[in-house]
Amino acid sequence: MNRKMMQGLVAAAAAVVLAGCDRGFDPAAEIGLVSREDGSGTRSAFIELTGIQTKGSDGRKIDRTSPTTMIASSTAVALTTVAGDPASLGYLSLGAVNDSVKIVKVDGVAPTREDIAAGRYALVHPFNVVTKGPIEALKPAARDFLNWILCEEGQRIVERAGYLRVSTVIPYTGAASVAGKVVCSGSSSVTPCMEKLKEAYCRTHVGVSIEVQQSDSSSGVADARDGVCDLGMASRALKGSESGSGLVATPIALDGLAVVVSPLNPIESISKEHLRKAFTGEISTWSQMK
């Protein structure tokens, strides 16, 4: 996406915010569904975990997201859109949520670190780094950075950024003398976490430069496969066809999917079943969300 297109999206989102400021919440209003684009790993995880995605008689997966849904091209656009519309309903990576939106409980459970770790919160997905082959086959700088992410120091950065650490933490045996360039590409949900990791790592590894390119999970997987990047970022698991092409997904964090509404919306909890019905168009107004 070029700069002019991005500026247009930001301007449009800002207009939504300004329009929303003059409106209160109306229970009879139509639910303003906000989802992510097809290549988004966050969307893939959400539709799978909520049952919006089903299988046809031929075994193929079917995304039953309502055609009236507004499609946001990035995490930032989804956040701004929900913040500006009192009738909106969306979902975000938990680490991307700020005070401009309100988090709604799912089946009475909030996406807290404790409830996610205990398995009580229903909407959880991995942040994966995708590589072409095993970690050992990466070039030295990329291998060292990924190993550092998985060590105790890297996982502390993951937690400080608002995510959950992975269960297996490895000892780090790298050296500050490693040098080279590392290109990371993919998910806009993983990008903020990766930026924090990059910043901390580069403070002590001055010979390494790390470039983080934001797009979506499918692009990150494809870039890793094609050798365009060293580390692909994906907020979903690999599909069967992808893992069969020699790609390896390494979890670097766990993330909760936060269901979000405008702060003007009084709703406190939504069932997973009502989420499914809303996003498939089976219910259309907030008065039905009971």
Side-chain angles (χ1 to χ4, degrees), residues 21-108:
C21 290
D22 294 329
R23 302 198 305 272
F25 178 74
D26 178 6
E30 184 174 342
I31 300 168
L33 301 171
V34 181
S35 188
R36 291 291 308 280
E37 76 280 11
D38 285 338
S40 163
T42 302
R43 174 171 174 162
S44 295
F46 182 76
I47 64 173
E48 180 179 351
L49 292 168
T50 56
I52 295 167
Q53 177 179 277
T54 61
K55 283 189 178 181
S57 57
D58 58 357
R60 296 180 64 182
K61 295 178 179 179
I62 303 171
D63 181 350
R64 299 191 181 278
T65 299
S66 169
T68 63
T69 303
M70 182 272 184
I71 304 301
S73 60
S74 70
T75 300
V77 174
L79 178 66
T80 308
T81 303
V82 173
D85 182 0
S88 65
L89 173 65
Y91 56 90
L92 298 165
S93 163
L94 183 59
V97 176
N98 60 31
D99 291 340
S100 68
V101 295
K102 176 176 136 181
I103 296 177
V104 178
K105 296 176 182 177
V106 176
D107 290 325

Side-chain angles (χ1 to χ4, degrees), residues 61-257:
K61 295 178 179 179
I62 303 171
D63 181 350
R64 299 191 181 278
T65 299
S66 169
T68 63
T69 303
M70 182 272 184
I71 304 301
S73 60
S74 70
T75 300
V77 174
L79 178 66
T80 308
T81 303
V82 173
D85 182 0
S88 65
L89 173 65
Y91 56 90
L92 298 165
S93 163
L94 183 59
V97 176
N98 60 31
D99 291 340
S100 68
V101 295
K102 176 176 136 181
I103 296 177
V104 178
K105 296 176 182 177
V106 176
D107 290 325
V109 181
T112 63
R113 182 172 297 177
E114 294 74 20
D115 284 321
I116 291 173
R120 291 186 288 266
Y121 187 69
L123 308 182
V124 180
H125 65 137
F127 278 179
N128 285 321
V129 163
V130 180
T131 55
K132 192 171 185 178
I135 297 176
E136 294 74 22
L138 294 172
K139 66 186 187 184
R143 182 173 65 248
D144 191 75
F145 180 44
L146 183 49
N147 281 332
W148 180 86
I149 290 174
L150 297 172
C151 79
E152 180 61 32
E153 185 177 356
Q155 289 299 297
R156 282 200 300 269
I157 300 300
V158 164
E159 289 187 315
R160 288 173 194 160
Y163 309 97
L164 268 76
R165 64 168 59 209
V166 294
S167 57
T168 303
V169 177
I170 66 172
Y172 177 63
T173 57
S177 59
V178 68
K181 181 178 180 180
V182 181
V183 177
C184 308
S185 170
S187 169
S188 65
S189 294
V190 181
T191 293
C193 183
M194 188 62 76
E195 289 282 5
K196 295 288 186 182
L197 290 164
K198 163 191 167 179
E199 180 182 345
Y201 176 83
C202 289
R203 279 199 296 266
T204 54
H205 297 77
V206 295
V208 178
S209 64
I210 300 174
E211 181 179 336
V212 180
Q213 302 172 351
Q214 177 179 303
S215 51
D216 57 55
S217 292
S218 293
S219 297
V221 172
D223 286 349
R225 180 196 63 212
D226 298 339
V228 175
C229 71
D230 301 293
L231 306 177
M233 301 181 293
S235 56
R236 62 166 173 81
L238 289 177
K239 299 175 182 177
S241 58
E242 295 168 340
S243 56
S245 60
L247 295 174
V248 176
T250 302
I252 63 168
L254 288 177
D255 179 48
L257 288 172

